[in-house]
Amino acid sequence: MASSSFNQLLSFVLLLGLVNFCSAGRTLSAETSDQTQQPLLFQYHNGPLLSGKISVNLIWYGKFKASQRAIVSDFITSLSASSPSTNQPSVANWWKSIEKYYHLSNAKKSSLSLSLGTQTLDQSYSMGKSLSQTHIKQLAAKGGKSNAINVVLTSSDVLVDGLCSSKCGTHGSSKSSIIRGKSSKFAYIWVGNSETQCPGQCAWPFHQPIYGPQTTPLVAPNNDVGVDGMIINLASLLAGTVTNPFGNGFYQGPKEAPLEAASACPGVYAKGAYPGYAGDLLVDATTGASYNANGLNGKKYLLPALFDPSTSTCSTLV
C-alpha cells in the first residue's frame, strides 16, 4: 500500500512538474487536495527527533535588506507558543501540530522549543557567488553546533548547486568538532531566494508556475515574492528537520528522496486545494495578499500543510 500511495503521489508530480522533496525541500509545487488524496503510510524509523530547547541560527549569505531579514526572523520567533500572535490562525498553532510526531515516537524527551538564535551576516560573498553543497555545509558550520539548527539563506544573486534544477532548499546534518573524544552532529538547512532565478518553481503560488495550470499569481503577504517563497520552503524544511533530522526519523518512501512532514503535502495550503490551486486562503482586505497564518509584529505568512500522522491526511490551518 505504501508503494501504491507513493506512486500515486509521483503521478501528480509528473502531471504538473510541481513537486516537493524533503531532501530538496520544495521544488516545483502542487499536489492533490486534502479531499482526494489517498492515505499515506508514514513510518517511524526509530531514529532521534530534535528535542529540548533548540536555537535557530540564521546565516545570511549575500545582500538582504533589513526588511527581508525581519520577515524571516519574525517568522522564527512566531513559532514559539510562548509568544503567540493575538490574531488567529497563528504560526505558533501551525507549529504545535508537530507535537503529534513526538507522541507517536515515544521519545524520552518529547518536548521541543524553538527560539531565534544568532544571526551572521556575510554580505561580502566570502565564498563567491557560485556555491556547492559543500560550501553550504561550511557556511552552516558558522552557527552554533549544540542544540541548534543552522539556517543558511542565500540571496537572489547567488547560484547554488541544484537550485532551480532540482531543489529550492535542503536540510541535513553535519559533524561538529570532537569534544572529549566524541563527535556529534548538528542539523542545518539551506534555502535560496529564487526571485530572479526561478520564482515559477520555488516561489509558487506568488508567481506563475513554469508548468501546469497558468493561474493568476497570488499577492505575497509581505510584498516580497522571493522572501515569502523562502518562508514556505523554510517552514517545510524546519518540519522535516525536527521530525527526521538524521535520516532515520519519520518519513515515507525511499530514504534518498523521502516524503516528510510537509513535503508529503506539496501545493496544499488550505482546504479545497487541488493541482494548481493553493486552497481557500485568507485574503487581507487592504493589500489583497493571500495568507493562512498570523505572526508577530503584524506579519502574515503562507505556510504549507503538515501531514497529520494520527489521521494520515494533510492538515491545514484554514
Side-chain angles (χ1 to χ4, degrees):
M1 291 179 65
S3 175
S4 173
S5 296
F6 183 63
N7 289 337
Q8 188 169 33
L9 277 171
L10 289 183
S11 69
F12 281 104
V13 164
L14 294 174
L15 173 66
L16 295 178
L18 302 171
V19 64
N20 266 350
F21 287 115
C22 101
S23 60
R26 168 178 173 271
T27 29
L28 321 173
S29 68
E31 188 46 70
T32 69
S33 75
D34 49 351
Q35 274 113 20
T36 62
Q37 67 179 357
Q38 295 298 313
L40 293 175
L41 298 181
F42 253 54
Q43 291 181 319
Y44 177 46
H45 297 79
N46 300 315
L49 312 186
L50 292 189
S51 60
K53 295 181 178 180
I54 303 292
S55 295
V56 180
N57 302 313
L58 305 180
I59 296 99
W60 300 92
Y61 189 84
K63 299 290 174 57
F64 286 91
K65 299 175 184 177
S67 59
Q68 293 177 316
R69 297 199 299 271
I71 293 170
V72 177
S73 59
D74 282 351
F75 166 67
I76 298 299
T77 304
S78 299
L79 292 168
S80 172
S82 63
S83 54
S85 168
T86 55
N87 296 320
Q88 298 299 325
S90 70
V91 173
N93 282 347
W94 173 80
W95 186 250
K96 188 174 177 59
S97 61
I98 289 290
E99 291 179 0
K100 293 182 179 180
Y101 286 86
Y102 287 78
H103 296 155
L104 289 176
S105 71
N106 294 318
K108 292 181 180 179
K109 292 183 178 180
S110 60
S111 63
L112 171 69
S113 175
L114 296 186
S115 62
L116 181 63
T118 62
Q119 298 194 54
T120 303
L121 303 183
D122 188 339
Q123 297 177 317
S124 62
Y125 305 89
S126 63
M127 295 184 180
K129 290 189 176 182
S130 182
L131 305 180
S132 66
Q133 291 301 317
T134 299
H135 289 131
I136 295 298
K137 285 187 178 183
Q138 292 171 347
L139 288 169
K142 293 186 176 183
K145 301 181 185 66
S146 178
N147 299 319
I149 300 172
N150 295 335
V151 180
V152 178
L153 303 120
T154 51
S155 59
S156 59
D157 57 346
V158 175
L159 301 175
V160 179
D161 181 33
L163 177 62
C164 298
S165 64
S166 64
K167 64 193 70 173
C168 304
T170 56
H171 85 78
S173 62
S174 185
K175 289 184 178 180
S176 62
S177 56
I178 298 177
I179 301 175
R180 296 174 184 172
K182 294 182 179 181
S183 64
S184 59
K185 293 180 179 179
F186 68 92
Y188 71 88
I189 291 171
W190 157 67
V191 180
N193 186 331
S194 66
E195 182 177 15
T196 59
Q197 296 184 50
C198 53
Q201 291 168 270
C202 298
W204 184 87
F206 305 129
H207 190 281
Q208 279 191 300
I210 59 172
Y211 304 114
Q214 296 299 297
T215 53
T216 302
L218 303 180
V219 177
N222 296 289
N223 197 33
D224 191 312
V225 169
V227 176
D228 279 307
M230 291 180 83
I231 291 294
I232 295 174
N233 297 316
L234 175 56
S236 177
L237 290 162
L238 275 171
T241 297
V242 301
T243 58
N244 187 31
F246 308 120
N248 54 3
F250 281 97
Y251 66 87
Q252 190 240 4
K255 185 175 182 179
E256 296 74 23
L259 295 171
E260 295 178 331
S263 60
C265 303
V268 179
Y269 299 95
K271 288 180 172 57
Y274 55 82
Y277 178 63
D280 302 327
L281 296 168
L282 301 174
V283 178
D284 186 285
T286 302
T287 65
S290 295
Y291 69 101
N292 61 7
N294 290 282
L296 299 179
N297 298 319
K299 298 286 196 310
K300 293 178 171 62
Y301 299 100
L302 184 63
L303 305 179
L306 292 176
F307 181 80
D308 185 335
S310 64
T311 61
S312 296
T313 60
C314 292
S315 176
T316 61
L317 277 174
V318 297

